[in-house]
Amino acid sequence: MEIKREKYLKALTNRMHNGMIKVITGIRRCGKSYLIFKIFKNYLKEIHISDDHIIEIALDERKNKNYRNPDVLLDYVENKIKDNELYYLLLDEVQLLDEFEEVLNSLLHISNLDIYVTGSNSRFLSKDIITEFRGRGDEIHIFPLTFKEYMQGYSGDTYRGFADYIMYGGLPLILSMKTEEQKVEYLTRLFEETYIKDIRERNRIDKIQELNDLINVLASAVGSLTNPSKIEATFKSKLHSDISINTIRQYIAFLQDAFMIHEAQRFDVKGRKYIGSPLKYYFEDVGLRNARLGFRQHEETHLMENILHNELRARGFNVDVGVVPIRKTVSSGERERSQLEIDFIATLGSRKYYIQSAFSLPDEEKIKQEKTPLLNVGDSFKKIIIVHDTLNIRRDDDGITTMNIYDFLLNEHSLDM
């Protein structure tokens, strides 16, 4: 079954003919090529754009290696344009093109050319490169399949689908694989032979063992507060490594640059300011995270949290970890400062939601634990607890909504239910 990815198609069609370079970014194998060469190209045909006005080049294909030369590509594109009608350039894996900044800026001078490019790393979207584009680069970040998208191509029921999704993630090709062995081998090899290799070559990393160890530490710490100093201490105490804190920071930046991980910063709800370190790291795809650890550490609580984080980001929200400062009375009768944590603060424009991820709510003590931070926020924005338990959506007397993860993931308007 075809995965429609309607959100990303809409993002592309809303940007057509805007005079900017539409840059589709995302982790490798998340569906960028399929989006522009299949979904978007089909749309162009539906609005009666002829084939000879669609110029498509996949730079990662061996047969197109010569087009990685900037002059060859420029000549090819210019020779394709025969009239004054609109042309559409679909360029895949643009980071493989030498001097791509100059090439893309040159192509912008062709008034009847609408440009769409993909890339698997954020290097060409850095501050300096955007300056080279003179403010004419328009990013569309594409994620691996959300659970709703995943179920469009899944042949089983919702519960079995989620069990597979939380284990093997949302890279589209996973849906075509019939056995666990195929999925495990695919994700394991993809991590080693594509992602790690790409990061090593791009950043000229010699100490591959330290990079691998760092990825393992981050994968084990999903949903936990950490920072380079804590990671350095782990390297020294458990791995007997003298890796420097600067190297750790640099390697984390490389992983973020390749879209493998994303950081969630802590935000002081009452002080309305970012706190900084420590923070949390989440994997762009939980299947890759699980593959990294040999599918041995399958903590559903942390993986569910990772999935919720990714879902919120895929919906366009900025996602932070909430910190709620409080004062509580201790046994001596004195008042002491303390902090409560809210798993996520999801913000999009004027919309804001406080969200707790709780795998289950087995008793009143657990319910109180999850509700207490929300009750101490002190504002009127919506507060939600998301659980794995199959319960109906309900709102209590404190105004806190509880819903199950299936209702949340399968309904794009679930936050407002």
Side-chain angles (χ1 to χ4, degrees), residues 316-320 345-353:
F317 287 93
N318 181 60
V319 185
D320 300 310
I345 305 175
T347 309
L348 179 59
S350 61
R351 299 166 64 195
K352 181 185 289 187
Y353 304 88

Side-chain angles (χ1 to χ4, degrees), residues 14-108:
N14 285 344
R15 290 167 169 82
M16 291 176 69
H17 318 138
N18 66 357
M20 303 179 75
I21 302 166
K22 275 66 72 175
V23 187
I24 301 98
T25 63
I27 197 169
R28 287 190 180 275
R29 306 295 185 266
C30 72
K32 300 184 302 297
S33 303
Y34 186 83
L35 175 64
I36 65 165
F37 288 155
K38 177 71 173 179
I39 297 176
F40 185 60
K41 184 179 177 181
N42 284 347
Y43 172 81
L44 293 176
K45 290 185 175 182
E46 288 173 3
I47 62 173
H48 309 296
I49 304 298
S50 60
D51 285 341
D52 61 354
H53 281 62
I54 302 173
I55 307 167
E56 53 182 301
I57 307 171
L59 289 169
D60 61 340
E61 292 187 11
R62 177 74 180 180
K63 65 180 181 180
N64 294 327
K65 186 176 181 180
N66 59 316
Y67 294 121
R68 299 175 192 173
N69 180 298
D71 296 319
V72 172
L73 185 133
L74 281 171
D75 288 342
Y76 176 76
V77 173
E78 289 171 355
N79 289 330
K80 280 283 187 176
I81 299 175
K82 307 291 186 182
D83 54 46
N84 293 324
E85 298 295 321
L86 274 170
Y87 285 77
Y88 297 85
L89 174 62
L90 313 181
L91 195 58
D92 195 27
E93 301 294 359
V94 73
Q95 76 276 359
L96 298 175
L97 172 64
D98 293 335
E99 301 173 11
F100 64 81
E101 305 97 325
E102 292 185 12
V103 174
L104 293 176
N105 275 324
S106 295
L107 291 172
L108 278 172

Side-chain angles (χ1 to χ4, degrees), residues 123-134:
R123 181 174 65 88
F124 57 95
L125 286 174
S126 68
K127 182 178 179 180
D128 292 339
I129 300 303
I130 287 295
T131 299
E132 289 294 327
F133 286 165
R134 298 176 181 87

